[in-house]
Structures are given as structure tokens and as C-alpha cells.
């Protein structure tokens, strides 16, 4: 993906998110902000580890963004906290395993890098690799789960990677505790589980 395509993607995302310097980043737009940071060239693993507060700072503060792009964030070796990709592309049903073979994907990427650098060819450009990965992810369908209920079938588009397991557990009458950093999809997962089971979703921060 060339620089022109990146600039176009950045403009489109900023138009959807809101004016920089004046837009608050929260659960409603954090996924788009993450896509915006990846379009800038940040590794997706780094982007997934950022909290909502950090996303807000990078989107609205040019100095912070420049420092991040130059690898000057306060802890370059922070443990990766993102447990799944917001642009999950696996398609499944409630009867499937619901798990992604990440090791196979890693092997495919490694094979591609080996092929591109074989026979004395020029080293692979990082932006080329990011472009190839983005195109591959965009070409795959969103992960979908179908849940058969007595009153019909519920179809969950863009399902969280743990949705199937959580839905099955709740359907068995067992309570579920979700733990994870801000932005890991806990609320989204709860909403999807409620929708799948035909329940009303409530949320409170006063706990």
C-alpha cells in the first residue's frame, strides 16, 4: 500500500473519528483510532496494548504521536496486553471451535518474508509487509456466530474471540467473570452474549 493510499485512509478515518485535538476517544471510537494508528505505521501489537487514555493522547497530541512513531514511548518493552485483534476475520458458528490458528498465520508470514528476501533480493520494506497484511485482513469476512434459541436464531456479527465460550457457559446457567485491560472488549463481549441469549444488557460502573 503506497503513501497516497495511506494518506487517503488516514483522511477517511479522521473524518469518521472527528477533528484531532477536539475529539474524545472512548469505547465508541477506539477501534477506528487503532486503525488510524496502524495506518500511521505503528505495529498492531503495540496499538492493541494501548489503553483508551493513551489512544486519546496519541490522537489529539501531535508531539505524543511523533514520539510514539519514533519509538520514544515510556516503556518500549511493555508486555503486550491486547488479547485479540479488533479486526478479527475468522468465520465460525456456535458449533465450531471458534479459535484462530495464530501459529499458522505466523508461519505464513515467515514464509512470505523468506521468499521475498531469497536469492539476494532487496530487504523487505516494513510498509510493504503492513500493506500486505492489511489487504489480507480486509479481504476476509467478519467473524460470525449463530446461536440457536427456542425463539429463533441469533446472528452475532464481528464476534469477540471468546464469545462462543462465554455464551455456552452463560446458557448453562454459570456466571462469567471477565478480566482484562481497557479496550480488550469486555463490555462488547457482554453485549454480544446478551444479544445472543435474548437478554437485556445493563452496565454500571458503581461496583
Amino acid at each position: 500500500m503506497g503513501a497516497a493510499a495511506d494518506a487517503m485512509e488516514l483522511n477517511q478515518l479522521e473524518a469518521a473519528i472527528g477533528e484531532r485535538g477536539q475529539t474524545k476517544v472512548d469505547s465508541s471510537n477506539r477501534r477506528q483510532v487503532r486503525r488510524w494508528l496502524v495506518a500511521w505505521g505503528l505495529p498492531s501489537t503495540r496499538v492493541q496494548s494501548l489503553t483508551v487514555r493513551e489512544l486519546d493522547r496519541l490522537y489529539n497530541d501531535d508531539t505524543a504521536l511523533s514520539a510514539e512513531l519514533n519509538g520514544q514511548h515510556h516503556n518500549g518493552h511493555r508486555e503486550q496486553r491486547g488479547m485479540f485483534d479488533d479486526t478479527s476475520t475468522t468465520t465460525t458458528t456456535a458449533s465450531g471451535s471458534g479459535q484462530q490458528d495464530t501459529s499458522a498465520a505466523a508461519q505464513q508470514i515467515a514464509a512470505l518474508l523468506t521468499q521475498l528476501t531469497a536469492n539476494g533480493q532487496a530487504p523487505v520494506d516494513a510498509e510493504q509487509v503492513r500493506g500486505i497484511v492489511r489487504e489480507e485482513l480486509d479481504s476476509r469476512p467478519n467473524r460470525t456466530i449463530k446461536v440457536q434459541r427456542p425463539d429463533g436464531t441469533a446472528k452475532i456479527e464481528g464476534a469477540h474471540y471468546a464469545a462462543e465460550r462465554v455464551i455456552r457457559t452463560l446458557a448453562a446457567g454459570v456466571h462469567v467473570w471477565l478480566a482484562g485491560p481497557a479496550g480488550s472488549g469486555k463490555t462488547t463481549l457482554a453485549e454480544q452474549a446478551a444479544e445472543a441469549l435474548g437478554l437485556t444488557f445493563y452496565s454500571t460502573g458503581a461496583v
Side-chain angles (χ1 to χ4, degrees), residues 15 32-33 41 48 60 91 94 105 130 145 163-164 169 176 189 197:
Q32 292 172 310
V33 173
Q48 288 299 325
N60 290 295
T91 301
R130 281 192 289 267
I145 287 179
E164 182 182 346
T169 303
V176 174
L189 175 52
L197 298 173

Side-chain angles (χ1 to χ4, degrees), residues 35-57:
R35 288 179 56 192
W36 179 82
L37 288 170
V38 171
W40 264 107
L42 285 179
S44 60
T45 52
R46 168 62 181 162
V47 172
Q48 288 299 325
S49 74
L50 297 172
T51 64
V52 172
R53 179 178 296 180
E54 290 169 328
L55 293 172
D56 184 271
R57 178 172 58 85

Side-chain angles (χ1 to χ4, degrees), residues 91-172:
T91 301
T92 187
T93 64
S95 61
S97 66
Q99 298 183 356
Q100 301 181 48
D101 189 352
T102 54
S103 61
Q107 291 173 3
Q108 291 175 356
I109 293 174
L112 175 62
L113 293 175
T114 301
Q115 179 181 355
L116 291 174
T117 56
N119 302 322
Q121 296 181 14
V124 180
D125 180 79
E127 185 55 36
Q128 285 180 304
V129 175
R130 281 192 289 267
I132 292 171
V133 172
R134 281 198 294 267
E135 290 175 4
E136 179 64 22
L137 291 176
D138 290 342
S139 68
R140 298 183 180 182
N142 287 329
R143 186 168 183 267
T144 301
I145 287 179
K146 294 180 180 179
V147 179
Q148 188 66 45
R149 303 196 314 244
D151 60 345
T153 301
K155 186 177 181 181
I156 310 301
E157 301 280 359
H160 188 286
Y161 83 97
E164 182 182 346
R165 181 180 180 186
V166 169
I167 292 168
R168 287 182 182 276
T169 303
L170 292 173

Side-chain angles (χ1 to χ4, degrees), residues 42-81:
L42 285 179
S44 60
T45 52
R46 168 62 181 162
V47 172
Q48 288 299 325
S49 74
L50 297 172
T51 64
V52 172
R53 179 178 296 180
E54 290 169 328
L55 293 172
D56 184 271
R57 178 172 58 85
L58 292 175
Y59 186 74
N60 290 295
D61 187 335
D62 284 333
T63 302
L65 176 62
S66 177
E68 183 70 35
L69 292 172
N70 290 323
Q72 298 172 6
H73 50 82
H74 68 280
N75 186 357
H77 300 287
R78 178 165 56 180
E79 179 181 359
Q80 180 184 347
R81 295 179 295 168

